[in-house]
Amino acid sequence: MDAATIRRLLRLLATALAVGTVGIAPAISRGLEGAEVSCVPAVPDVWVVSTRGLPDVCRLPESVNFHVQRLRPDGAAWEPADLPGLLDEPQRPVMVFIHGNRYLPAEARQQGLQLARHAAEWGPPGLRTVIYSWPSDQQGILLKDGRAKYRRAFSEGRYLAWLLGQLEPERPVAIVGYSFGAIITLEAIEDLLMAERAGIGTVRPLTGRSGPLNVVFIAAAVRSDALAPRGPYRAALENIDRLTLLVNSQDEALRFFPLLDCRQRAEALGYVGMPGRWLPPTVPFKSFDAAGIVGRTHGFHHYLTSPSLMRRIGDGAITGLEAASD
């Protein structure tokens, strides 16, 4: 058995022995040849960028005072950090996780950390996970709350656009957007393209990036025709290198998506999906209906606990990033 295979087996064993909280204790595992091997699970490189407490905005801001945290190298706690620290090492690939509605800050960190641990198994080496935490705390009954967060998602797109516009054009990027995270992502790409056309110099242009941009949407709470040939976000496809959709045709929450915006009454992309013929042949596209695995539930944790769904998310997010990071 070669050294690479041994390292892979030890890494998988270490991940299996890791505890489910932020703190990860050292573990002792039995080596392949019967010798004792001290195996300490590697702590993933995870950061939090939060817009909680920031106001609604109607245009791309000139600067944003994000609240930034990072997971300590020992994995024991979160510590204050800053944006320059997050943006260092321009060759390091970045995966941005954008959560959905009704998340408290601790819940966003917890699920983002779970995703980061999975990503540590997929690669590429040195992947940095950024949890984009936005003000989605529950506010009243389901429909009223959903409409409020739907409106807020457009402001969040402008904040995310500014953040993405600080990344170097050679940096490989993956975006994993769950539920309203899909609106936020597409709004961000649209805002960056508008800023580019307007010559706004506070963000880097999206067009012509040398680093890939992979996008994965899970139970996307965005209109189903968003990327159609005449859809409102069609231009985004010119700047996405790989698109993966995990839809749920039985999702009880997405079933009510048409009620969020009475002007359009469109079904949710994460509920009905979209045909592959809408995409240009240059954009690899995969879509999978997860209803048979997660049933009628909408929560992202059901996707996180499914090995087959996590493999699909990992393939969509990471494919192509490793080569670009070498």
Side-chain angles (χ1 to χ4, degrees), residues 83-94 128 162-173 203-206 208-213:
L83 198 59
L86 186 152
L87 296 174
D88 68 0
E89 301 179 69
Q91 299 299 324
R92 181 188 289 267
V94 168
R128 174 166 292 167
W162 190 88
L163 177 63
L164 295 177
Q166 308 311 304
L167 299 177
E168 296 80 0
E170 66 270 21
R171 188 190 289 265
V173 178
V203 292
R204 290 184 170 93
L206 189 62
R209 293 186 84 254
S210 57
L213 174 60

Side-chain angles (χ1 to χ4, degrees), residues 51-278:
T51 62
R52 296 173 189 264
L54 297 183
D56 283 304
V57 288
C58 59
R59 61 177 62 89
L60 187 71
E62 295 184 2
S63 64
V64 182
N65 185 25
F66 292 116
H67 177 61
V68 182
Q69 294 177 299
R70 67 171 298 182
L71 185 65
R72 271 178 21 188
D74 61 5
W78 299 91
E79 62 183 8
D82 56 29
L83 198 59
L86 186 152
L87 296 174
D88 68 0
E89 301 179 69
Q91 299 299 324
R92 181 188 289 267
V94 168
M95 178 177 68
V96 183
F97 166 60
I98 310 167
H99 62 77
N101 192 14
R102 298 194 169 194
Y103 271 68
L104 296 173
E107 295 169 331
R109 289 194 299 266
Q110 180 188 35
Q111 290 195 0
L113 180 55
Q114 285 181 265
L115 180 63
R117 286 177 177 158
H118 283 294
E121 299 178 23
W122 311 328
L127 179 69
R128 174 166 292 167
T129 299
V130 178
I131 302 167
Y132 185 89
S133 182
W134 59 284
S136 64
D137 311 48
Q138 181 176 347
Q139 299 176 0
I141 61 174
L142 184 61
L143 183 56
K144 180 180 179 181
D145 179 53
R147 285 173 173 168
K149 304 306 172 40
Y150 175 78
R151 292 190 294 270
R152 174 70 190 198
F154 292 89
S155 287
E156 291 303 322
R158 295 168 188 123
Y159 285 129
L160 178 63
W162 190 88
L163 177 63
L164 295 177
Q166 308 311 304
L167 299 177
E168 296 80 0
E170 66 270 21
R171 188 190 289 265
V173 178
I175 299 178
V176 178
Y178 158 66
S179 193
F180 280 143
I183 296 181
I184 295 171
T185 300
L186 292 176
E187 275 291 308
I189 294 175
E190 177 70 16
D191 285 340
L192 280 176
L193 293 175
M194 291 177 62
E196 186 177 331
R197 290 192 290 267
I200 297 176
T202 56
V203 292
R204 290 184 170 93
L206 189 62
T207 303
R209 293 186 84 254
S210 57
L213 174 60
N214 294 345
V215 174
V216 180
F217 288 152
I218 301 118
V222 66
R223 53 191 293 174
S224 58
D225 64 346
L227 298 171
R230 297 182 180 274
Y233 300 107
R234 178 67 181 184
L237 289 177
E238 299 176 6
N239 299 277
I240 293 175
D241 293 282
R242 180 175 298 271
L243 177 64
T244 302
L245 300 182
L246 269 66
V247 305
N248 182 358
S249 58
Q250 297 181 15
D251 193 306
E252 283 289 350
L254 292 181
R255 186 162 63 91
F256 296 100
F257 179 80
L259 301 178
L260 297 182
D261 190 340
C262 296
R263 296 169 299 177
Q264 61 184 34
R265 295 280 184 173
E267 296 283 2
L269 177 62
Y271 190 57
V272 299
M274 59 177 270
R277 67 176 183 275
W278 284 358

